[in-house]
Amino acid sequence: MPVGAAGYAGVARLSYGPIVPDNGFVLEMTREEFEELVAEALDRIPPELTRLMDNVAVFVEDEPPADDPELLGLYEGTPLTERGEWYAGVLPDRITIYRGPTLRMCESREDVVTETEITVVHEIAHHFGIDDARLHALGYG
């Protein structure tokens, strides 16, 4: 389900909701609550950057592909830096944020908020052509 679109720049909303108890293994958070965190992370992207995003959609899925069960996010598409005259009439790039692994790795709701924001920024950076090495150097590993 799409939670945002390129060019969408709303006012940052901080509606993290009630404190979610830690069940000892995995934090509990509904799909809707997690989608809201992703939308809020998108809202915090500076408008100067969201205006530059082109032909990209953001989705939330519960689980990543089975071959990479700890994957938090995935960018699929052609980065802006690699597009040329040939780039026309193509499907939108796709950014997917995965709820399950994020909840399994975080110890608190605040950790989920932070990790979700980092993951969203990381995947948007790939849309702008920034590779993993540079992202790790910037603290978005």
Side-chain angles (χ1 to χ4, degrees):
M1 160 176 249
V3 296
Y8 173 66
V11 176
R13 300 177 316 275
L14 301 177
S15 60
Y16 302 143
I19 295 174
V20 177
D22 183 347
N23 67 8
F25 300 102
V26 178
L27 289 174
E28 296 178 17
M29 182 179 290
T30 67
R31 171 88 175 246
E32 292 76 22
E33 288 174 304
F34 190 78
E35 287 175 352
E36 182 64 21
L37 291 181
V38 172
E40 290 170 359
L42 288 166
D43 285 347
R44 287 190 288 279
I45 302 294
E48 303 81 37
L49 291 179
T50 58
R51 280 193 293 271
L52 297 173
M53 293 173 66
D54 181 46
N55 200 30
V56 62
V58 177
F59 298 86
V60 169
E61 297 290 340
D62 288 328
E63 294 296 333
D67 63 334
D68 199 354
E70 295 179 12
L71 186 66
L72 302 179
L74 179 65
Y75 169 75
E76 299 170 285
T78 304
L80 295 174
T81 55
E82 296 179 17
R83 295 179 184 179
E85 293 177 15
W86 58 269
Y87 189 85
V90 299
L91 291 173
D93 291 2
R94 181 181 176 103
I95 292 174
T96 308
I97 308 298
Y98 298 106
R99 183 176 73 100
T102 303
L103 295 179
R104 287 190 293 274
M105 74 172 285
C106 293
E107 295 181 10
S108 69
R109 186 175 188 88
E110 293 75 25
D111 289 347
V112 174
V113 170
T114 300
E115 192 57 52
T116 301
E117 188 165 323
I118 289 169
T119 303
V120 167
V121 169
H122 182 108
E123 301 311 328
I124 288 173
H126 287 319
H127 176 68
F128 283 101
I130 302 172
D131 65 17
D132 281 331
R134 181 69 178 136
L135 284 168
H136 286 277
L138 293 171
Y140 290 97

